Amino acid sequence: MTELVRTREELAKACAALTGTVGVVMTMGALHSGHETLLRAARERADHVLVTIFVNPLQFGPNEDFDRYPRTLATDLEACRRAGADVVFAPDREEMYPDGEPRVRVNPGLLGEDLEGLSRPGFFHGVLTVVLKLFQLTRPDLAFFGEKDYQQLTLVRRMARDFDVPVEVVGVPTVREPDGLALSSRNRYLSAREREAALSLSAALRAGVDAADRGLDAGAVLAEAHRAFGSGAAGARLDYLVLTDPDLEPGPVAGPARLLVAAWVGATRLIDNAAIRLAPRS
């Protein structure tokens, strides 16, 4: 039985009744099968699963889609029940920020100002602030985040380490449609033509992975990815396509690396990424 709680007091009471390890999955709702994969991963690792559903205003810029972001609590609860979640915490804005927007926020450092942070100023200040608040409110043993939001996952791990938050942050591989498009709550905004154009992101990643598997160097891998993105259906406008190390530091010349892409498709901004391994330099 999944229990829905809306206040801090109800959450504290529900958490006190959970014995053993607790895994948390933090979401903004509009759950899809990617979220359900996170829930299943949490169920496999933890004795109890707690889900948070909160559309966080701090991570939306003035021209972004906070007001139109889908709110689908009834169907979200059904997904949580199917996945065996024990508790769903779905606070409103006043419950999360009773004194209004917080004057003190988590500073993500230089990494938070690059990539997504460069395109969306202040975004990770808002993300890390709400994640830290939810860590404090839920006190989980494990926290599960999707690798699709790889920069977010990296920063949450770093925040937990730097602030000595006693939680294991677990990354869960990206879930994709059969044609390769990464699952996202924002995919519902795409028209049929835009959805075809959106495949340029995953095509770029596949080309990069294939180039790395063929032993090409970092420059050639990135060039192949750019070429594949540009040859996709018209309508995707590239924001960035970069190759970094696994911690999002400047790209390595050999070994594990990460290829990350972001693009606008119509009025919708999409992101994706893939792990690659660069061959040793001869």
Side-chain angles (χ1 to χ4, degrees), residues 9-274:
E9 291 74 17
E10 291 171 345
L11 175 63
K13 182 178 179 181
C15 288
L18 302 179
T19 58
T21 57
V22 174
V24 68
V25 176
M26 299 181 186
T27 81
M28 293 205 301
L31 303 187
H32 48 65
S33 57
H35 293 106
E36 293 190 47
T37 298
L38 292 175
L39 294 172
R40 288 193 295 271
R43 172 56 66 197
E44 290 173 1
R45 290 281 311 273
D47 297 316
H48 299 284
V49 177
L50 192 159
V51 181
T52 68
I53 298 176
F54 178 64
V55 184
N56 178 33
L58 301 188
Q59 63 197 68
F60 288 82
N63 298 315
E64 293 185 332
D65 55 359
F66 175 76
D67 289 332
R68 73 175 184 136
Y69 194 89
R71 275 79 166 173
T72 57
L73 183 59
T75 54
D76 292 345
L77 287 173
E78 285 303 315
C80 291
R81 292 187 181 105
R82 286 195 303 271
D86 296 275
V87 178
V88 174
F89 178 47
D92 61 20
R93 187 170 183 165
E94 290 70 28
E95 189 67 27
M96 280 302 296
Y97 303 117
D99 299 316
E101 292 194 359
R103 298 181 183 181
V104 177
R105 303 190 188 192
V106 177
N107 186 331
L110 292 177
L111 177 56
E113 308 302 334
D114 197 10
L115 301 176
E116 288 300 288
L118 186 62
S119 298
R120 305 174 69 185
F123 173 69
F124 286 115
H125 296 74
V127 170
L128 295 185
T129 298
V130 78
V131 168
L132 185 58
K133 285 174 68 71
L134 289 169
F135 278 159
Q136 296 285 62
L137 291 169
T138 60
R139 302 297 174 101
D141 300 286
L142 306 104
F144 296 80
F145 291 86
E147 290 186 356
K148 185 184 79 68
D149 298 296
Y150 190 78
Q151 189 176 8
Q152 171 180 279
L153 169 63
T154 301
L155 284 166
V156 169
R157 280 177 168 155
R158 184 166 298 179
M159 178 184 71
R161 183 170 63 248
D162 289 350
F163 288 178
D164 297 309
V165 181
V167 62
E168 179 186 348
V169 178
V170 181
V172 179
T174 301
V175 179
R176 299 183 179 278
E177 299 281 4
D179 59 8
L181 183 67
L183 290 183
S184 169
S185 300
R186 289 187 167 91
N187 289 351
R188 68 184 65 196
Y189 300 148
L190 301 173
S191 67
R193 179 174 296 180
E194 289 169 344
R195 196 187 179 293
E196 183 180 358
L199 296 177
S200 297
L201 283 81
S202 55
L205 298 179
R206 285 197 304 273
V209 170
D210 179 66
D213 289 345
R214 288 186 280 121
L216 275 62
D217 63 20
V221 165
L222 197 54
E224 288 293 307
H226 274 278
R227 188 175 296 112
F229 183 91
S231 65
R237 307 186 310 279
L238 187 65
D239 185 349
Y240 62 76
L241 177 54
V242 298
L243 183 62
T244 74
D245 83 353
D247 294 321
L248 301 182
E249 299 295 338
V253 296
R258 206 84 190 184
L259 189 61
L260 302 101
V261 62
W264 288 94
V265 181
T268 303
R269 189 170 179 280
L270 301 175
I271 62 174
D272 203 349
N273 69 89

